[in-house]
Structures are given as C-alpha cells and as structure tokens.
Amino acid sequence: MDHGTLRPGQLASGLSALLLLTQMAGAQEVAEMKPIRAAFPIQQQGCFVRAYDASHLAANPNQSVRRIRLARLAPEQKREALDSPGAPTIGLRLLLRTRTSVSTEALDCEARYDGAAAAQPYLTCRSTCNRGSIDLTPLGPDSVRLTIGGVASGRFIPDAIGVGGTCALDTGVIWLGDREGDRSFLLARAGLEMCR
Amino acid sequence: MNRWTPRLLAACAGLWSMTGALAQQPPSRAMLEGLFPKGAPVCFARYYDAAHLKRHPAQSVTSVRLMRGFQQVRGDAERNPADAITIELIVTYRDSGARRFLGDAGCGPSLDNQITCYSSSCDGGSFPVKVEDADTILIGGAQGRSRFSVSGGCGDDGPGRSLGRSADDTVFRLTRMPISACR
C-alpha cells in the first residue's frame, strides 16, 4: 500500500469529517449565543436600567451608584455593523449617575463561554477608551447582571472601569468598582426613551 | 480586543505550551512564574515626567503600563498552566495626551532563556522582558526598538502605534506598583 498518496475516497471522507466538525462547532456557538441573543437580539436597539431610591442608598453607604443604564441605540449599532474584525459583537453605552456625578462610556462587548467555569455565557465589555471592562450576564431576555471584577483561581479579584471624560483626557473619569457596593448590579429592560 | 482576540490568544497559548514542553521548563519559566504569580494581579508601570521627556526629545512614549488584571488572571485560570501568561500593555504618547493605546500579549519563556511577550494581534510583533530585580523589569529591545503594535494592527482601524515608535523608544524600566496604578 502506498502510504504517501491520498486516494479520492479518503480525501472525500476527510473533507466530510472536517465539514461535520465545523458544523458542530458552529451549532455549539449558536446554542451558546442564545441567551446573549435573547437579551441583545441582532439589529435591535435596547435599554437596561437600574435606579436606586434614597432608602436603598441610605441602607448601602458603600454604594456610589444612583442609576446605571446600558443603551444599545443607533451609534452602538453602527459600531457593530463595521466591516472590520475590530467591530464588537455588541456595542453598548454605559450611562452612570453616582451620588455626585454623571458620566458615560462606550463599550465594545464580546461573548465568552468558559464551559464548566461559568454557569452561562456572558459578555465581556471593554471601554473603548481602554479603561477597563465589565462583565454582563444575561439572566433572560429582560434582565442582565453587570459585574466588575470576580472570582479567579479561587479568590475574588477586584477590577474597575473608567467612565466619563474623553479618551485623550484622564480628568473627569469615574472609576467604578473600587467600592464594594459598586461591583454588581441587576438591570431590567426598559423602554428606549429611558436610555436617551 | 476584537472578536478574534480570544481565539488568537488561545492559539498563542497553545504554541507557548508546545514551546514550554520542548524546552522542558527552562529557568525563564520559573522567572516568568515569579514575575506573574498564579492567580495574582500584577502591575509594572512607568510614567515619565516632564524633566525626563525634556532630556529625551526623541522619546514619544510618555507612559507604559504592563498589567495583568482580573480579565487576564481569569483567562489564564481557564487554560493549561503551561501556556503563556497573558498581559496587556497600555502605552500613552507625547502627541495624544492621556489616550491609552492597548496591546494584548502572551508572555512565555523564549529559546534564548529570556521572557518574550508576543502580541495576540496577527503580526503584532513582540518585546523582550528582562527581570532586573523583584520589583523592576526592563521591556523592549536593547538592540533597537521593539515592534509591538498597540494600535493600527491587522483589523484595527486606529492610528498605527508601536511600543518602539520613535528613535528613543527603546528600553523601558518599569517598577512594580499597586494594580490601581495601571489604570
């Protein structure tokens, strides 16, 4: 038998196997994206909001955030539609009102699947000014959990994201995540007007 | 980071894993793990003051931050421990104020028994890391500028920026700092 030559039958079998593997990988990716796409459907605008009242803030002195919103409107969709590998899977804008300030930051999000390490797929959203990142875990079509920092190698590792100002200036940037009360937020879907 | 970055990081990590196996744990692997302990955030940084920049008019880099934060620690925890250790390099330049240019990299032992950090962006270059002492590292090429893309690499629409951008952007001495100093 000539071991150095591939016969047409073998080549066809190999290609079929490769095609099957590619299809299986694609199907797995589609399944893993499902919870993310339920919360952030393709080509659809969206808005998620959480606001805290005075009694909550009084009970949580370690929290600086009064209102936090995630907008996916026309500018974010425009970034998603860029014909470039640099285009985000999902573009968002974080709108933040703390006890003392108001600021916003554009975010580029990519899906992550950690297999056994994470109970469900999530998004890692990086500041477009390269000032850190947050994680977003969809909890259904109308709810997302926003977290900053988390557990890795068995211990909690804090993180922070810079919000506000312009990319060329560090002044006016709020670093969210330093205070314990500013590391996890549950946001609910709201009408688009709430994010405008 | 774009949608290809995790896959490129995984590919880099796999290559490092193979390199590590071939080299059978060279001393630089221990050096690497000493520099970036498992599960620990790390920050090495250098902010050049006005006096330094005045003395070095051909230096365009105004700050360098080599950071291993939560995202990198978590990512590495999910991979083979023998893989590359991922970091991000944040660079600012004289002509762009505080604007941060960022490059993701995988660092591992190289064949010359040193540490080298390779860009996770396609053809994004690399830079060597030399450990001076427990709290000081030298990054960049002593024999010339390091081509390590922090903007404008393949698939990136930003302006072209490299760690070794101008004639005096050669070696950078970074010191260990609290993680918040790498923001």
Side-chain angles (χ1 to χ4, degrees):
Chain A
M1 186 178 175
D2 179 4
H3 293 283
T5 311
L6 204 59
R7 286 177 298 186
Q10 289 174 310
L11 185 63
S13 302
L15 286 173
S16 300
L18 191 63
L19 187 64
L20 184 66
L21 280 173
T22 309
Q23 285 173 337
M24 283 167 66
Q28 190 188 356
E29 191 165 301
V30 167
E32 285 167 335
M33 275 298 282
K34 237 178 176 173
I36 291 171
R37 282 300 176 202
F40 301 100
I42 293 171
Q43 294 184 345
Q44 275 188 34
Q45 299 188 354
C47 172
F48 290 87
V49 178
R50 181 69 189 266
Y52 298 94
D53 59 20
S55 63
H56 177 97
L57 292 172
N60 295 275
N62 217 4
Q63 176 181 329
S64 69
V65 173
R66 286 176 59 190
R67 185 171 71 169
I68 188 163
R69 294 175 288 168
L70 287 169
R72 188 180 180 216
L73 303 175
E76 289 71 45
Q77 289 182 303
K78 204 172 164 185
R79 286 209 315 279
E80 292 173 17
L82 285 173
D83 184 19
S84 156
T89 302
I90 291 162
L92 293 172
R93 176 163 286 277
L94 176 67
L95 301 107
L96 184 69
R97 179 185 290 273
T98 69
R99 291 176 193 251
T100 56
S101 63
V102 175
S103 46
T104 82
E105 189 76 10
L107 307 174
D108 281 350
C109 306
E110 301 303 331
R112 295 277 179 92
Y113 331 98
D114 298 342
Q120 55 213 111
Y122 60 96
L123 294 166
T124 290
C125 304
R126 179 177 275 192
S127 145
T128 57
C129 287
N130 291 326
R131 293 192 187 118
S133 59
I134 60 168
D135 286 338
L136 287 180
T137 307
L139 303 174
D142 297 325
S143 176
V144 294
R145 188 194 300 121
L146 186 161
T147 50
I148 303 170
V151 175
S153 293
R155 66 173 172 145
F156 183 82
I157 298 177
D159 202 1
I161 182 167
V163 185
T166 66
C167 293
L169 288 172
D170 275 342
T171 50
V173 177
I174 305 294
W175 286 93
L176 188 66
D178 284 340
R179 301 172 76 152
E180 268 182 58
D182 290 335
R183 291 174 182 167
S184 182
F185 305 94
L186 201 59
L187 284 73
R189 187 180 295 282
L192 295 181
E193 68 280 1
M194 290 294 289
C195 279
R196 290 201 170 105
Chain B
M1 186 185 282
N2 60 49
R3 69 187 64 168
W4 301 104
T5 305
R7 291 169 208 181
L8 285 165
L9 277 173
C12 281
L15 282 172
W16 274 117
S17 181
M18 288 163 63
T19 310
L22 284 171
Q24 292 186 339
Q25 296 282 354
S28 52
R29 180 86 215 172
M31 198 193 302
L32 184 75
E33 287 167 2
L35 204 56
F36 304 111
K38 190 186 170 206
V42 171
C43 166
F44 286 93
R46 178 79 183 266
Y47 296 85
Y48 293 98
D49 60 20
H52 176 101
L53 293 171
K54 197 174 176 185
R55 287 196 307 273
H56 296 85
Q59 177 178 330
S60 68
V61 169
T62 53
S63 74
V64 183
R65 288 162 255 197
L66 190 156
M67 180 182 176
R68 179 171 152 77
F70 165 63
Q71 296 290 351
Q72 290 76 35
V73 170
R74 177 174 60 178
D76 287 351
E78 291 152 13
R79 285 193 283 271
N80 184 335
D83 287 345
I85 284 170
T86 54
I87 55 109
E88 62 182 18
L89 196 74
I90 301 169
V91 186
T92 59
Y93 296 90
R94 206 187 277 259
D95 64 351
S96 46
R99 181 174 173 185
R100 297 138 192 263
F101 293 90
L102 186 148
D104 293 301
C107 304
S110 46
L111 294 175
D112 57 359
N113 209 21
Q114 296 290 320
I115 294 169
T116 304
C117 297
Y118 285 93
S119 170
S120 58
S121 169
C122 53
D123 197 27
S126 64
F127 60 87
V129 177
K130 190 178 171 195
V131 179
E132 196 169 73
D133 59 47
D135 294 322
T136 314
I137 57 171
L138 301 172
I139 71 165
Q143 289 152 5
R145 288 179 280 154
S146 289
R147 190 181 67 80
F148 178 80
S149 175
V150 287
S151 175
C154 83
D156 182 345
D157 300 327
R161 295 286 164 107
S162 173
L163 175 63
R165 186 178 180 216
S166 301
D168 213 1
D169 295 327
T170 51
V171 180
F172 304 92
R173 176 176 278 110
L174 314 184
T175 53
R176 193 185 295 274
M177 293 188 185
I179 194 78
S180 58
C182 270
R183 287 176 181 168

